[in-house]
Amino acid sequence: MAGGALVVAAAAALAWALAYPQASLTETLVRAVSDCAAVVALGLAAVPMLDGDRYRAELVSRAAPPLAASAGVWLLSELTRLVVAAAQTAGIRVLRLDMGTVADFVVATTAGRAGLVALAAAAVVCVAALAAPRAISTVVMLTGVAAIGVVARPLTGHFSDSALGGFAVAVHMLAAALWCGVLAALLLTVEHRGQWARLLPRFSTLSLWCVVALLAGGVLGAAVRLDSAADLYATGYGRVLSAKIAMTAALVVLGWRNRTMWLPAARAHRATAVVSRSRSVVELSMMAVALALAAGLAVTG
């Protein structure tokens, strides 16, 4: 967890540097933490659906504590992001912000209302992970609530005035969140070689569809947002996007390599749990960089 936090912080600093002076380091870092926590929460909420009826209850129980923790981090970071955004909109420092200004921001602005939706989603997931019955109906409900929270913010950003762009970024973000989040959930909940052998093939199928949707949504969103190919290096937004494209390409290559090498070994019980966790950590580290770059992209003017 500490290593993951360092990776996210370093990647957020990189995104800020690439976009400078069109982005705020504080806003980039807070958004990166919030987005990564939301992605992990979505993955932990959804991962029991990969397992069969015989083992699902055990996986739901194992996922509940880290789900509550990640949702708690998501809740706190969303609250921080809401306060920072209200201060920036009002043109004052955070320490001089009062509750009336925050309330006005939440009620009167699209970004504020979207932040409130994400905040509510994080709160529901956190409380339900601790108190709701650990049944498949709860799993489906929490997955849906977390998904709403994940896409609430992107729909009010750069693509708020474009229905096509908004749809593209929602598909892109949700696919990325499922791909990254479910792998993080496997790392946090799966211990034995037999569990990897059972769950990894199902994750591989899910990730393949996620990558297809992610690429389609990303290409469409970039086509709507960019005026020309020169924007990819001439603007802060374009430079962050270029870095994100490069990281996504590396992730696709690594994912395909894991699909052709790690997956057959895990399915045949030839890959130990240690090997599976190590491969997951490497892929998740790259995913964390991509998510932090995406957060930087979202706050770049």
Side-chain angles (χ1 to χ4, degrees):
M1 294 297 290
L6 288 174
V7 170
V8 171
L14 172 62
W16 168 76
L18 289 170
Y20 185 83
Q22 296 173 288
S24 161
L25 179 58
T26 300
E27 192 176 1
T28 302
L29 183 58
V30 171
R31 175 132 190 174
V33 171
S34 178
D35 287 354
C36 288
V39 164
V40 174
L42 175 61
L44 285 163
V47 73
M49 289 190 281
L50 289 183
D51 217 342
D53 294 339
R54 181 179 177 183
Y55 303 100
R56 185 175 293 130
E58 177 188 356
L59 192 55
V60 170
S61 296
R62 292 187 62 83
L67 175 57
S70 59
V73 174
W74 181 16
L75 178 63
L76 291 175
S77 56
E78 279 292 346
L79 182 59
T80 303
R81 187 161 73 170
L82 198 64
V83 170
V84 170
Q88 289 181 338
T89 301
I92 59 177
R93 294 184 177 182
V94 171
L95 294 179
R96 305 184 71 176
L97 195 66
D98 58 74
M99 291 302 298
T101 303
V102 175
D104 289 342
F105 174 74
V106 169
V107 173
T109 68
T110 303
R113 291 190 292 270
L116 190 61
V117 170
L119 194 67
V124 169
V125 173
C126 185
V127 172
L130 295 172
R134 294 176 180 177
I136 186 60
S137 57
T138 303
V139 169
V140 174
M141 183 272 290
L142 289 182
T143 301
V145 171
I148 291 170
V150 165
V151 301
R153 288 280 193 175
L155 289 175
T156 60
H158 296 297
F159 299 95
S160 57
D161 57 348
S162 169
L164 181 61
F167 174 76
V169 76
V171 169
H172 177 79
M173 185 62 190
L174 195 54
L178 279 172
W179 182 24
C180 304
V182 173
L183 181 59
L186 291 177
L187 179 64
L188 291 169
T189 59
V190 174
E191 288 188 340
H192 306 297
R193 181 188 316 197
Q195 292 174 303
W196 283 106
R198 189 172 68 250
L199 293 172
L200 192 61
R202 298 170 186 176
F203 167 73
S204 181
T205 301
L206 172 67
S207 64
L208 180 61
W209 287 107
C210 286
V211 169
V212 171
L214 179 151
L215 294 177
V219 169
L220 183 57
V224 171
R225 180 67 174 80
L226 299 177
D227 294 326
S228 68
D231 287 347
L232 288 170
Y233 60 85
T235 66
Y237 185 93
R239 289 190 293 272
V240 179
L241 179 59
S242 296
K244 182 171 173 283
I245 290 171
M247 183 55 64
T248 301
L251 271 170
V252 171
V253 172
L254 178 61
W256 184 255
R257 183 175 181 273
N258 285 339
R259 185 179 178 85
T260 56
M261 298 178 64
W262 175 24
L263 176 60
R267 183 188 284 128
H269 294 257
R270 296 196 308 271
T272 65
V274 172
V275 169
S276 293
R277 284 196 294 271
S278 298
R279 289 186 179 275
S280 298
V281 167
V282 171
E283 190 168 349
L284 282 167
S285 298
M286 295 175 65
M287 287 175 169
V289 174
L291 288 170
L293 289 170
L297 202 62
V299 300
T300 299

Tab-separated table of all heavy atoms in Angstrom, residues 189-220:
chain	number	residue	atom	x	y	z
A	189	THR	N	-7.377	-10.104	-2.133
A	189	THR	CA	-8.267	-11.130	-1.568
A	189	THR	C	-7.841	-12.566	-1.855
A	189	THR	O	-8.264	-13.478	-1.137
A	189	THR	CB	-9.701	-10.949	-2.100
A	189	THR	OG1	-9.697	-11.033	-3.531
A	189	THR	CG2	-10.272	-9.600	-1.688
A	190	VAL	N	-7.044	-12.791	-2.878
A	190	VAL	CA	-6.700	-14.157	-3.274
A	190	VAL	C	-5.358	-14.553	-2.669
A	190	VAL	O	-4.378	-13.812	-2.792
A	190	VAL	CB	-6.653	-14.285	-4.813
A	190	VAL	CG1	-6.160	-15.673	-5.220
A	190	VAL	CG2	-8.032	-14.021	-5.393
A	191	GLU	N	-5.307	-15.714	-2.045
A	191	GLU	CA	-4.089	-16.158	-1.365
A	191	GLU	C	-3.486	-17.419	-1.973
A	191	GLU	O	-2.274	-17.559	-2.017
A	191	GLU	CB	-4.379	-16.415	0.116
A	191	GLU	CG	-4.610	-15.149	0.935
A	191	GLU	CD	-4.695	-15.463	2.413
A	191	GLU	OE1	-4.964	-16.641	2.755
A	191	GLU	OE2	-4.494	-14.541	3.225
A	192	HIS	N	-4.317	-18.353	-2.434
A	192	HIS	CA	-3.825	-19.674	-2.787
A	192	HIS	C	-3.761	-19.878	-4.299
A	192	HIS	O	-4.475	-19.233	-5.065
A	192	HIS	CB	-4.721	-20.746	-2.163
A	192	HIS	CG	-4.893	-20.585	-0.681
A	192	HIS	ND1	-3.840	-20.668	0.205
A	192	HIS	CD2	-5.997	-20.334	0.069
A	192	HIS	CE1	-4.293	-20.483	1.435
A	192	HIS	NE2	-5.597	-20.272	1.384
A	193	ARG	N	-2.897	-20.779	-4.690
A	193	ARG	CA	-2.713	-21.106	-6.100
A	193	ARG	C	-4.014	-21.560	-6.750
A	193	ARG	O	-4.323	-21.187	-7.885
A	193	ARG	CB	-1.660	-22.218	-6.216
A	193	ARG	CG	-1.369	-22.641	-7.635
A	193	ARG	CD	-0.478	-23.880	-7.704
A	193	ARG	NE	0.639	-23.814	-6.764
A	193	ARG	CZ	1.711	-24.584	-6.837
A	193	ARG	NH1	1.823	-25.468	-7.805
A	193	ARG	NH2	2.669	-24.489	-5.947
A	194	GLY	N	-4.796	-22.337	-6.018
A	194	GLY	CA	-6.062	-22.817	-6.564
A	194	GLY	C	-7.037	-21.689	-6.843
A	194	GLY	O	-7.788	-21.731	-7.826
A	195	GLN	N	-7.046	-20.673	-5.986
A	195	GLN	CA	-7.921	-19.518	-6.213
A	195	GLN	C	-7.497	-18.744	-7.457
A	195	GLN	O	-8.334	-18.299	-8.247
A	195	GLN	CB	-7.902	-18.600	-4.986
A	195	GLN	CG	-8.550	-19.194	-3.756
A	195	GLN	CD	-8.373	-18.302	-2.549
A	195	GLN	OE1	-7.251	-17.959	-2.152
A	195	GLN	NE2	-9.488	-17.909	-1.941
A	196	TRP	N	-6.186	-18.575	-7.631
A	196	TRP	CA	-5.696	-17.912	-8.851
A	196	TRP	C	-6.074	-18.722	-10.083
A	196	TRP	O	-6.470	-18.160	-11.114
A	196	TRP	CB	-4.183	-17.725	-8.789
A	196	TRP	CG	-3.732	-16.601	-7.921
A	196	TRP	CD1	-3.151	-16.681	-6.694
A	196	TRP	CD2	-3.835	-15.200	-8.210
A	196	TRP	NE1	-2.873	-15.432	-6.190
A	196	TRP	CE2	-3.284	-14.497	-7.105
A	196	TRP	CE3	-4.335	-14.467	-9.288
A	196	TRP	CZ2	-3.216	-13.107	-7.051
A	196	TRP	CZ3	-4.274	-13.077	-9.246
A	196	TRP	CH2	-3.722	-12.413	-8.142
A	197	ALA	N	-5.965	-20.044	-9.982
A	197	ALA	CA	-6.312	-20.904	-11.120
A	197	ALA	C	-7.781	-20.785	-11.485
A	197	ALA	O	-8.159	-20.878	-12.659
A	197	ALA	CB	-5.964	-22.356	-10.792
A	198	ARG	N	-8.621	-20.556	-10.501
A	198	ARG	CA	-10.059	-20.453	-10.734
A	198	ARG	C	-10.476	-19.062	-11.211
A	198	ARG	O	-11.334	-18.920	-12.098
A	198	ARG	CB	-10.792	-20.795	-9.431
A	198	ARG	CG	-12.292	-20.937	-9.577
A	198	ARG	CD	-12.943	-21.451	-8.308
A	198	ARG	NE	-12.902	-20.500	-7.209
A	198	ARG	CZ	-12.146	-20.647	-6.120
A	198	ARG	NH1	-11.371	-21.710	-5.983
A	198	ARG	NH2	-12.163	-19.738	-5.153
A	199	LEU	N	-9.870	-18.023	-10.643
A	199	LEU	CA	-10.339	-16.656	-10.893
A	199	LEU	C	-9.601	-15.936	-12.014
A	199	LEU	O	-10.188	-15.078	-12.687
A	199	LEU	CB	-10.224	-15.825	-9.612
A	199	LEU	CG	-11.154	-16.246	-8.476
A	199	LEU	CD1	-10.827	-15.486	-7.202
A	199	LEU	CD2	-12.605	-16.008	-8.863
A	200	LEU	N	-8.335	-16.252	-12.218
A	200	LEU	CA	-7.563	-15.510	-13.220
A	200	LEU	C	-8.119	-15.674	-14.633
A	200	LEU	O	-8.175	-14.686	-15.380
A	200	LEU	CB	-6.088	-15.914	-13.162
A	200	LEU	CG	-5.140	-15.014	-13.950
A	200	LEU	CD1	-5.183	-13.587	-13.420
A	200	LEU	CD2	-3.709	-15.562	-13.887
A	201	PRO	N	-8.537	-16.881	-15.060
A	201	PRO	CA	-9.120	-16.979	-16.408
A	201	PRO	C	-10.367	-16.114	-16.577
A	201	PRO	O	-10.570	-15.532	-17.653
A	201	PRO	CB	-9.456	-18.472	-16.535
A	201	PRO	CG	-8.510	-19.149	-15.595
A	201	PRO	CD	-8.375	-18.212	-14.438
A	202	ARG	N	-11.182	-16.026	-15.546
A	202	ARG	CA	-12.385	-15.184	-15.636
A	202	ARG	C	-12.015	-13.704	-15.671
A	202	ARG	O	-12.631	-12.920	-16.401
A	202	ARG	CB	-13.306	-15.488	-14.449
A	202	ARG	CG	-13.785	-16.940	-14.462
A	202	ARG	CD	-14.493	-17.327	-13.188
A	202	ARG	NE	-14.822	-18.752	-13.180
A	202	ARG	CZ	-15.377	-19.401	-12.166
A	202	ARG	NH1	-15.694	-18.735	-11.060
A	202	ARG	NH2	-15.622	-20.685	-12.250
A	203	PHE	N	-10.997	-13.324	-14.903
A	203	PHE	CA	-10.519	-11.942	-14.974
A	203	PHE	C	-9.938	-11.647	-16.351
A	203	PHE	O	-10.125	-10.548	-16.888
A	203	PHE	CB	-9.454	-11.692	-13.906
A	203	PHE	CG	-8.711	-10.403	-14.119
A	203	PHE	CD1	-9.328	-9.191	-13.870
A	203	PHE	CD2	-7.407	-10.406	-14.601
A	203	PHE	CE1	-8.653	-7.993	-14.084
A	203	PHE	CE2	-6.732	-9.214	-14.820
A	203	PHE	CZ	-7.354	-8.010	-14.561
A	204	SER	N	-9.243	-12.601	-16.932
A	204	SER	CA	-8.644	-12.390	-18.252
A	204	SER	C	-9.714	-12.096	-19.299
A	204	SER	O	-9.549	-11.222	-20.148
A	204	SER	CB	-7.827	-13.624	-18.654
A	204	SER	OG	-7.225	-13.434	-19.911
A	205	THR	N	-10.820	-12.828	-19.238
A	205	THR	CA	-11.922	-12.573	-20.176
A	205	THR	C	-12.513	-11.185	-19.951
A	205	THR	O	-12.762	-10.438	-20.903
A	205	THR	CB	-13.012	-13.642	-20.002
A	205	THR	OG1	-12.453	-14.936	-20.252
A	205	THR	CG2	-14.157	-13.402	-20.967
A	206	LEU	N	-12.727	-10.837	-18.677
A	206	LEU	CA	-13.246	-9.508	-18.355
A	206	LEU	C	-12.300	-8.417	-18.838
A	206	LEU	O	-12.725	-7.414	-19.442
A	206	LEU	CB	-13.448	-9.390	-16.844
A	206	LEU	CG	-13.802	-7.995	-16.312
A	206	LEU	CD1	-15.183	-7.570	-16.792
A	206	LEU	CD2	-13.726	-7.970	-14.780
A	207	SER	N	-11.008	-8.587	-18.592
A	207	SER	CA	-10.040	-7.547	-18.947
A	207	SER	C	-9.948	-7.354	-20.452
A	207	SER	O	-9.728	-6.233	-20.929
A	207	SER	CB	-8.658	-7.889	-18.374
A	207	SER	OG	-8.151	-9.068	-18.941
A	208	LEU	N	-10.132	-8.426	-21.221
A	208	LEU	CA	-10.088	-8.300	-22.678
A	208	LEU	C	-11.193	-7.369	-23.161
A	208	LEU	O	-10.951	-6.463	-23.979
A	208	LEU	CB	-10.225	-9.680	-23.320
A	208	LEU	CG	-10.207	-9.704	-24.852
A	208	LEU	CD1	-8.894	-9.159	-25.386
A	208	LEU	CD2	-10.444	-11.128	-25.359
A	209	TRP	N	-12.413	-7.561	-22.662
A	209	TRP	CA	-13.515	-6.692	-23.050
A	209	TRP	C	-13.310	-5.276	-22.520
A	209	TRP	O	-13.667	-4.292	-23.202
A	209	TRP	CB	-14.836	-7.260	-22.541
A	209	TRP	CG	-15.272	-8.465	-23.308
A	209	TRP	CD1	-15.259	-9.768	-22.877
A	209	TRP	CD2	-15.768	-8.499	-24.655
A	209	TRP	NE1	-15.713	-10.608	-23.866
A	209	TRP	CE2	-16.034	-9.858	-24.973
A	209	TRP	CE3	-16.001	-7.527	-25.617
A	209	TRP	CZ2	-16.524	-10.242	-26.208
A	209	TRP	CZ3	-16.491	-7.914	-26.853
A	209	TRP	CH2	-16.755	-9.257	-27.140
A	210	CYS	N	-12.729	-5.157	-21.335
A	210	CYS	CA	-12.452	-3.832	-20.780
A	210	CYS	C	-11.456	-3.071	-21.644
A	210	CYS	O	-11.619	-1.865	-21.876
A	210	CYS	CB	-11.914	-3.956	-19.353
A	210	CYS	SG	-13.154	-4.385	-18.123
A	211	VAL	N	-10.421	-3.755	-22.119
A	211	VAL	CA	-9.418	-3.095	-22.959
A	211	VAL	C	-10.036	-2.626	-24.270
A	211	VAL	O	-9.757	-1.515	-24.744
A	211	VAL	CB	-8.231	-4.045	-23.216
A	211	VAL	CG1	-7.310	-3.481	-24.303
A	211	VAL	CG2	-7.442	-4.262	-21.936
A	212	VAL	N	-10.901	-3.451	-24.853
A	212	VAL	CA	-11.567	-3.055	-26.106
A	212	VAL	C	-12.401	-1.799	-25.878
A	212	VAL	O	-12.328	-0.826	-26.647
A	212	VAL	CB	-12.444	-4.211	-26.638
A	212	VAL	CG1	-13.305	-3.727	-27.800
A	212	VAL	CG2	-11.572	-5.379	-27.079
A	213	ALA	N	-13.194	-1.792	-24.804
A	213	ALA	CA	-14.036	-0.625	-24.505
A	213	ALA	C	-13.190	0.587	-24.144
A	213	ALA	O	-13.491	1.723	-24.551
A	213	ALA	CB	-14.993	-0.962	-23.360
A	214	LEU	N	-12.119	0.365	-23.395
A	214	LEU	CA	-11.236	1.453	-22.993
A	214	LEU	C	-10.611	2.136	-24.206
A	214	LEU	O	-10.587	3.371	-24.312
A	214	LEU	CB	-10.157	0.888	-22.069
A	214	LEU	CG	-9.074	1.804	-21.511
A	214	LEU	CD1	-8.619	1.257	-20.154
A	214	LEU	CD2	-7.858	1.862	-22.436
A	215	LEU	N	-10.104	1.339	-25.137
A	215	LEU	CA	-9.462	1.904	-26.321
A	215	LEU	C	-10.470	2.635	-27.205
A	215	LEU	O	-10.194	3.735	-27.702
A	215	LEU	CB	-8.757	0.805	-27.120
A	215	LEU	CG	-7.562	0.139	-26.418
A	215	LEU	CD1	-7.003	-0.989	-27.280
A	215	LEU	CD2	-6.471	1.164	-26.125
A	216	ALA	N	-11.644	2.044	-27.382
A	216	ALA	CA	-12.665	2.679	-28.217
A	216	ALA	C	-13.107	4.011	-27.610
A	216	ALA	O	-13.185	5.040	-28.305
A	216	ALA	CB	-13.865	1.745	-28.382
A	217	GLY	N	-13.380	4.013	-26.304
A	217	GLY	CA	-13.794	5.249	-25.643
A	217	GLY	C	-12.690	6.292	-25.638
A	217	GLY	O	-12.943	7.489	-25.824
A	218	GLY	N	-11.441	5.867	-25.434
A	218	GLY	CA	-10.326	6.801	-25.404
A	218	GLY	C	-10.072	7.457	-26.749
A	218	GLY	O	-9.841	8.674	-26.827
A	219	VAL	N	-10.109	6.664	-27.811
A	219	VAL	CA	-9.895	7.219	-29.153
A	219	VAL	C	-10.996	8.209	-29.508
A	219	VAL	O	-10.735	9.307	-30.038
A	219	VAL	CB	-9.824	6.081	-30.195
A	219	VAL	CG1	-9.866	6.641	-31.618
A	219	VAL	CG2	-8.552	5.257	-29.997
A	220	LEU	N	-12.231	7.850	-29.216
A	220	LEU	CA	-13.351	8.738	-29.519
A	220	LEU	C	-13.262	10.025	-28.696
A	220	LEU	O	-13.477	11.132	-29.215
A	220	LEU	CB	-14.667	8.016	-29.243
A	220	LEU	CG	-15.953	8.787	-29.584
A	220	LEU	CD1	-15.965	9.204	-31.045
A	220	LEU	CD2	-17.181	7.920	-29.267
